[in-house]
Every structure is written in C-alpha cells, then in structure tokens.
Amino acid sequence: REALAVTARLCGPELERYGRCVAASPGSWQRDCGGLRDSVSRCASNHPLVRRIGRDCSEALGALERCLRERPGDAAACGATAGDFLRCAETVT
C-alpha cells in the first residue's frame, strides 16, 4: 500500500489521466492510453521505493501486464493477477 500511496502522491495527476483514459476506452485502452501509461511509469521511476518494487516484483508485474494484454476488454478477469502483484508490492514496503 505504501508504494501505491507514494505513486499516487507523487504521480497523482498522471495516474488520474491514465485512469480516465482506461475507463473511457475499455476495448482499446492499450492503444489509446499508451502515452499516459508511459508518463505514469516515468514519474514513478523517479522514486526509489517504486523502483525497488519494479525490480523485486517484476515477475508478478509481467504476469499482470500479460493478462491485461490478453484480455484487453476484460480487465476484471485479471483481478487475481493484480492481487498477486499488490501483495508483492506490500512485502517490498
């Protein structure tokens, strides 16, 4: 939770724009929101805790990204995978 809170605090505007884009484009968010996703990543990568989560949880994050890629119109189907990543992130913090 701390890592997510840090990311939200440091990168709130970027996260908000990305979230609005994803919600508005359920079938095409990967294509339509890529630039916004990159801006969140750039912002988050400037914080050491977020970098550590990216390193220590890369396997869980990769699985989540694969799931979202394979189910572009059904992000809810990736809930368990998202949970795995969040649990990993919490252990880092």
Side-chain angles (χ1 to χ4, degrees):
R1 284 190 205 123
E2 183 183 334
L4 296 176
V6 166
T7 302
R9 186 173 70 243
L10 297 175
C11 306
E14 291 87 348
L15 281 169
E16 188 175 330
R17 285 192 295 273
Y18 180 54
R20 281 198 310 262
C21 183
V22 169
S25 307
S28 60
W29 64 270
Q30 286 183 297
R31 181 184 67 244
D32 297 345
C33 307
L36 294 171
R37 182 188 60 229
D38 294 343
S39 71
V40 171
S41 295
R42 276 191 305 276
C43 178
S45 69
N46 289 323
H47 194 281
L49 177 61
V50 177
R51 283 197 305 266
R52 204 165 92 217
I53 289 171
R55 183 190 67 226
D56 294 356
C57 301
S58 63
E59 188 174 317
L61 180 57
L64 176 58
E65 289 173 342
R66 272 191 308 281
C67 183
L68 292 171
R69 255 194 322 274
E70 292 166 2
R71 298 167 181 81
D74 188 16
C78 300
T81 311
D84 291 343
F85 170 69
L86 292 174
R87 279 188 292 282
C88 179
E90 287 176 10
T91 65
V92 172
T93 62

